[in-house]
Amino acid sequence: MLAIFKKEINQFFSSVTGYVAIVLFLLANGLFLFVFPDTSLLDTGYANLDPLFDLAPLIYLLLIPAITMRCFADEFKTGTMELLSTKPLSWWQIVMGKFWGSLLIVGISLIPTVVYYIAVRQLSVNPQQLDNGGILGAYTGLFLLGAVFTAIGLWASSLTANAMIAFLIAVFTSYIFYNGFDALSKIPAFSGGADYYLQMAGIRFHYTSISRGVIDSRDIIYFISVIGLMLYLTKLSLQRKLWQNG
């Protein structure tokens, strides 16, 4: 599993694509936070990072599928998946090696955003009044969100040998999990009770809850459950695909 983990890291950073993806993520956040007038912190007059945590999930909808789309798709395309399955590795070790490798890359993309926190702190009239607990909670929520999108991306990549198709499936599925249930809950037919449970089924409800700085065990359990479900579906997809090819 450690060898697969290292392979994912080396493969991502061995090409210009990996660096470009992370730079574009940071550049997009920087432009929205400090340049574009409608979202600029300099124009709002409030020293907080709420715009970052509102915007980052939408950028992650594109960034993380770009990171994960080749994880299994390229293995199928080059025929190395069959070779990998003959190694003394369990299916879970293969899946988890890919997952942790991709998630580390997502985590690396978050580290430079600390610069935004430092900038806001320096620009604040009273840095002591910054809600550090809320910011820490929001970072925790964003990392968990990234973990869910990573698991979804791996599942999408296990479905096809075409990386672009895997990318599109991952973007669509991640969007449905993030915003689809919330949008569905606004349909008048579900008002009066069902709308609340529909919201709870979506990622956005739990991400928003953690972003307030309150880390509730129910939100953590939700994220872990969705991650576990998608990784289990990935394992089943790999087994079925190799069985069909074999």
Side-chain angles (χ1 to χ4, degrees):
M1 189 172 75
L2 183 60
I4 295 174
F5 172 83
K6 290 179 179 178
K7 177 188 174 184
E8 287 302 303
I9 302 297
N10 292 332
Q11 183 173 324
F12 186 79
F13 288 108
S14 63
S15 66
V16 179
T17 307
Y19 297 98
V20 170
I22 292 180
V23 168
L24 288 178
F25 170 73
L26 298 172
L27 180 61
N29 279 313
L31 289 174
F32 278 98
L33 288 176
F34 297 104
V35 179
F36 297 156
D38 290 339
T39 56
S40 175
L41 293 173
L42 303 178
D43 293 334
T44 61
Y46 295 99
N48 63 65
L49 284 177
D50 290 348
L52 169 64
F53 300 115
D54 291 337
L55 177 67
L58 301 180
I59 300 178
Y60 265 172
L61 280 172
L62 298 176
L63 174 67
I64 295 179
I67 291 173
T68 60
M69 65 182 185
R70 299 184 183 278
C71 284
F72 290 113
D74 278 5
E75 301 281 6
F76 287 122
K77 187 176 181 179
T78 59
T80 54
M81 193 65 217
E82 288 79 2
L83 179 63
L84 190 61
S85 65
T86 62
K87 300 295 183 181
L89 293 167
S90 68
W91 286 108
W92 276 118
Q93 287 176 318
I94 294 173
V95 172
M96 294 306 294
K98 296 277 189 179
F99 174 73
W100 287 117
S102 300
L103 185 58
L104 179 61
I105 296 168
V106 173
I108 291 172
S109 73
L110 269 179
I111 294 173
T113 63
V114 175
V115 172
Y116 303 144
Y117 168 77
I118 296 173
V120 169
R121 188 174 180 85
Q122 292 297 320
L123 292 170
S124 176
V125 175
N126 190 350
Q128 287 72 31
Q129 290 185 354
L130 279 177
D131 186 7
N132 294 320
I135 292 174
L136 180 60
Y139 267 111
T140 302
L142 190 56
F143 181 77
L144 290 172
L145 177 73
V148 172
F149 285 174
T150 300
I152 292 174
L154 287 181
W155 168 74
S157 186
S158 72
L159 298 176
T160 175
N162 189 311
M164 186 52 63
I165 293 177
F167 173 81
L168 295 175
I169 293 174
V171 170
F172 177 77
T173 307
S174 296
Y175 179 79
I176 293 298
F177 267 90
Y178 180 72
N179 202 49
F181 289 99
D182 189 66
L184 192 63
S185 69
K186 292 179 172 59
I187 297 177
F190 295 115
S191 62
D195 54 343
Y196 176 74
Y197 294 103
L198 279 172
Q199 288 180 5
M200 287 186 65
I203 296 174
R204 190 170 186 171
F205 177 90
H206 300 276
Y207 172 72
T208 302
S209 176
I210 292 181
S211 296
R212 297 191 186 103
V214 180
I215 301 180
D216 193 316
S217 59
R218 291 171 295 183
D219 298 322
I220 302 297
I221 291 172
Y222 171 84
F223 280 110
I224 293 175
S225 299
V226 175
I227 292 168
L229 172 64
M230 298 313 299
L231 293 180
Y232 178 70
L233 291 177
T234 302
K235 171 179 170 289
L236 292 181
S237 176
L238 293 175
Q239 289 176 315
R240 184 179 69 252
K241 203 168 184 65
L242 284 180
W243 178 77
Q244 290 173 348
N245 295 338

